[in-house]
Amino acid sequence: MEKVIDENKQGTSLQLEQNRDNTKKLFIESYGCQMNFSDSEIVASILSDAGYNTTNNLEEADLVLVNTCSIRDKAEQTVRKRLDQYNRVKKKNPGMKVGVLGCMAERLKSKFLEEEKIVDMVVGPDAYKDLPNLLKEVDEGRDAINVILSKDETYGDIAPVRLQSNGVTAFVSITRGCDNMCTFCVVPFTRGRERSREPHSIISEIQDLYERGFKEITLLGQNVDSYLWYGGGLKKDYDKASEIQKATAVDFAQLLDLCATKFPKMRFRFSTSNPQDMHMEVIEVIANHDNICKYIHLPVQSGSTRILQEMNRQHTREEYIELVDKIYALIPDISLSQDMITGFPTETEEDHQDTLSLMEHVRYDFGFMFAYSERPGTLAARKLEDDIPEEVKKRRLSEIIAVQGKISLERTKRFVGQTVEVLIEKTSKRSDLEWSGRNSQNTTVVFPKENYKVGDFVEVYVEDCTSATLIGKAVGYSPMQED
């Protein structure tokens, strides 16, 4: 079967892989975390083998799938609105099938099928290989559902179809699920227990991406720092240090070191980290490799130790600050980002001020900040009253966003007058005459196109900035650029 590349029909430079032997069309949308987008690529691969090519045109689709997120109520409401839109199209095309994938599918299960009757199938995050069988169930006039969680499914044997890829950056999943029972979070219930993917399959996937011209990989998991593979280490056809080949287990520091060593002309990022699981060995590996980006997303959720305990976070304010101080001491030019929840049950003004002061100490480059949203099924929903008034949540969130905006501008300004390495990813949103990419610290950089192209590593002299973007001009290729 021959694969070709079809230009994205929405008018961007993104592309979709196509198989000329396939006769049916799949429309798939993803919401929520990066893991959902990565899972959609696995789904597209499974369905490609079942005769489906991916399309960006909803009206021409034979099968419409939405990969969902349950982390916040707003995400679920967005998905419900999209399902209404799908079903309006389906009335004009009765042969179309509609399905819900992912965390929201697992959480709501038969409600979609039996009570609301707005979908034909419901498929949980560990059941994607069952999609061809579920489609047969729908064809035979039966509702189809599989939300069984697995203790060992990692999809390590699936080569993902890269959806809407720029051909430069890609996600590679290394873990699935989560064992950290944070009281506000639905992930352990919707994605199951934590399991790690075999190192050999990870390296094989990255090797394939390298041969196809990709330049940057993000190693992905709910908690990458707890990656641990038992099973005799790596297969001997990979020429990393013998101590890894002989090891009975491979941890995240070893995996990260292996990736950076084996692929010196690729950049590596990872997400997401959990503070209690991040060890100094990982920080040392980052410091030792120029091609591991100097950026860590390090969710904290609150600056108050009391609230962290209520959240069942396995770290205190003091432990988090100690970790951050060690990271800066070893990698002074690193950038950190945060997840922050304000208005968690019982949060006082003193707790809120602890959060603001933590932000001032850590100096995050950017962050993802939200007001608490009670999620059904979580321990917080069962045990804690959502007792913070909405107007208080909104005010505290506004104050957190304001502090982060001030710090972000100060942090971004440090690059002005410096030369930074940038991987060109796409045309800038603000001008067709400019490229856009990111530096090692994950800050967006825009500069005139000149004779460079997508996928080039270039050195950019930074002349100006906003709180989120560096503005400059290219001064030549970086050492990462291959001959």
Side-chain angles (χ1 to χ4, degrees), residues 426-436 444-448 463-466 469-473:
K426 59 187 178 181
T427 295
S428 170
K429 291 181 179 179
R430 72 176 195 173
S431 172
D432 291 340
L433 301 178
E434 293 180 330
W435 289 125
S436 175
T444 297
V445 185
V446 297
F447 56 96
E463 300 171 310
D464 200 0
C465 73
T466 67
T469 305
L470 302 177
I471 303 163
K473 61 181 179 182

Side-chain angles (χ1 to χ4, degrees), residues 16-17 58 155 167 197 226 229 353 398 470:
L16 299 174
E17 293 182 4
L58 173 62
Y155 299 107
R197 181 178 166 188
S226 61
W229 169 258
Q353 291 301 319
S398 295
L470 302 177

Side-chain angles (χ1 to χ4, degrees), residues 4-150:
V4 297
I5 297 295
D6 186 44
E7 287 298 327
N8 183 304
K9 295 179 182 179
Q10 292 178 325
T12 71
S13 61
L14 303 177
Q15 298 176 327
L16 299 174
E17 293 182 4
Q18 303 287 285
N19 189 316
R20 285 193 173 134
D21 292 341
N22 290 344
T23 59
K24 291 175 283 189
K25 297 289 187 180
L26 164 68
F27 179 91
I28 185 167
E29 285 189 323
S30 303
Y31 293 89
C33 66
Q34 293 171 327
M35 184 64 78
N36 274 5
F37 288 83
S38 178
D39 278 2
S40 291
E41 296 182 335
I42 291 170
V43 168
S45 179
I46 293 169
L47 290 175
S48 176
D49 291 339
Y52 288 85
N53 276 340
T54 310
T55 178
N56 285 309
N57 186 347
L58 173 62
E59 284 72 19
E60 73 176 13
D62 301 288
L63 173 62
V64 178
L65 299 176
V66 57
N67 201 341
T68 60
C69 175
S70 280
I71 197 70
R72 292 176 187 86
D73 182 64
K74 184 178 180 181
E76 289 197 1
Q77 295 307 314
T78 299
V79 168
R80 287 187 175 278
K81 290 177 183 177
R82 288 301 287 159
L83 286 171
D84 289 341
Q85 292 174 322
Y86 299 158
N87 278 282
R88 286 196 292 271
V89 175
K90 186 179 180 181
K91 288 180 181 179
K92 302 176 184 177
N93 181 11
M96 177 186 289
K97 304 182 186 74
V98 176
V100 172
L101 311 176
C103 296
M104 194 172 167
E106 205 289 329
R107 191 176 77 76
L108 295 177
K109 299 173 183 166
S110 58
K111 184 176 182 179
F112 280 133
L113 288 167
E114 297 172 5
E115 296 178 31
E116 301 180 14
K117 299 185 184 300
I118 56 175
V119 299
D120 301 299
M121 64 171 65
V122 176
V123 190
D126 291 343
Y128 297 144
K129 288 180 181 176
D130 197 33
L131 272 164
N133 295 325
L134 294 172
L135 286 168
K136 290 178 183 177
E137 293 283 311
V138 176
D139 286 338
E140 293 170 3
R142 295 186 291 273
D143 292 335
I145 181 171
N146 186 343
V147 293
I148 297 172
L149 294 175
S150 169

Side-chain angles (χ1 to χ4, degrees), residues 6 144 174 229 234 270 282 328 347 382 390 401 466 481:
D6 186 44
I174 66 170
W229 169 258
L234 301 177
F270 56 89
V282 173
Y328 278 133
E347 184 185 69
R382 297 198 302 270
E390 286 302 312
I401 291 172
T466 67
Q481 182 73 11

Side-chain angles (χ1 to χ4, degrees), residues 151-421:
K151 293 182 179 180
D152 51 22
E153 180 62 80
T154 65
Y155 299 107
D157 57 335
I158 302 293
V161 169
R162 302 295 164 179
L163 294 175
Q164 300 190 353
S165 172
N166 58 10
V168 176
T169 62
F171 297 125
V172 174
S173 297
I174 66 170
T175 71
R176 296 186 69 83
C178 185
D179 287 346
N180 295 312
M181 301 297 290
C182 299
T183 59
F184 57 81
C185 187
V186 297
V187 168
F189 308 106
T190 59
R191 285 190 169 272
R193 300 299 298 272
E194 191 173 279
R195 59 269 193 202
S196 298
R197 181 178 166 188
E198 185 205 10
H200 174 73
S201 70
I202 296 170
I203 295 299
S204 294
E205 184 174 340
I206 296 172
Q207 180 70 43
D208 175 69
L209 290 165
Y210 175 72
E211 292 172 357
R212 293 164 60 186
F214 283 78
K215 301 295 180 66
E216 183 179 286
I217 302 299
T218 299
L219 303 177
L220 202 59
Q222 254 76 38
N223 184 14
V224 293
D225 294 281
S226 61
Y227 175 91
L228 188 61
W229 169 258
Y230 293 100
L234 301 177
K235 297 193 175 182
K236 291 183 179 179
D237 54 339
Y238 291 101
D239 54 359
K240 185 50 187 158
S242 60
E243 62 267 20
I244 292 183
Q245 292 182 358
K246 295 177 181 177
T248 57
V250 177
D251 64 16
F252 182 58
Q254 291 170 310
L255 177 68
L256 187 60
D257 183 50
L258 172 68
C259 292
T261 301
K262 183 168 180 62
F263 303 99
K265 292 298 183 180
M266 298 183 85
R267 284 206 311 200
F268 288 90
R269 303 183 187 273
F270 56 89
S271 185
T272 294
S273 294
N274 229 28
Q276 72 267 20
D277 295 312
M278 174 161 275
H279 304 295
M280 288 310 296
E281 289 85 355
V282 173
I283 309 306
E284 290 166 359
V285 170
I286 298 171
N288 290 337
H289 289 279
D290 290 337
N291 62 328
I292 300 179
C293 292
K294 304 304 182 275
Y295 163 70
I296 301 173
H297 182 55
L298 196 63
V300 63
Q301 309 301 354
S302 174
S304 162
T305 292
R306 189 186 71 81
I307 292 297
L308 290 172
Q309 291 172 342
E310 293 287 346
M311 291 176 167
N312 197 36
R313 301 286 288 174
Q314 302 302 306
H315 62 86
T316 65
R317 169 192 176 93
E318 293 73 23
E319 288 168 341
Y320 185 90
I321 288 174
E322 182 182 4
L323 173 62
V324 166
D325 290 347
K326 288 180 178 178
I327 292 171
Y328 278 133
L330 194 58
I331 314 174
D333 64 338
I334 201 159
S335 287
L336 301 178
S337 62
Q338 44 86 348
D339 286 345
M340 201 73 75
I341 297 172
T342 191
F344 191 79
T346 77
E347 184 185 69
T348 65
E349 282 301 314
E350 183 179 359
D351 296 324
H352 175 57
Q353 291 301 319
D354 282 347
T355 292
L356 297 179
S357 66
L358 177 86
M359 294 172 67
E360 293 282 5
H361 178 90
V362 177
R363 314 296 291 169
Y364 297 105
D365 284 68
F366 47 91
F368 304 90
M369 298 147 286
F370 306 93
Y372 173 69
S373 170
E374 185 177 88
R375 309 311 297 131
T378 61
L379 187 61
R382 297 198 302 270
K383 301 290 187 180
L384 299 172
E385 179 187 355
D386 187 3
D387 60 352
I388 308 301
E390 286 302 312
E391 60 270 21
V392 174
K393 289 182 183 179
K394 290 179 181 179
R395 189 257 303 165
R396 290 176 183 171
L397 179 59
S398 295
E399 292 175 4
I400 288 172
I401 291 172
V403 168
Q404 184 58 63
K406 174 181 70 74
I407 296 172
S408 292
L409 180 58
E410 293 168 357
R411 293 288 291 167
T412 307
K413 282 181 177 178
R414 79 188 195 271
F415 294 111
V416 175
Q418 295 186 18
T419 299
V420 298
E421 180 188 82

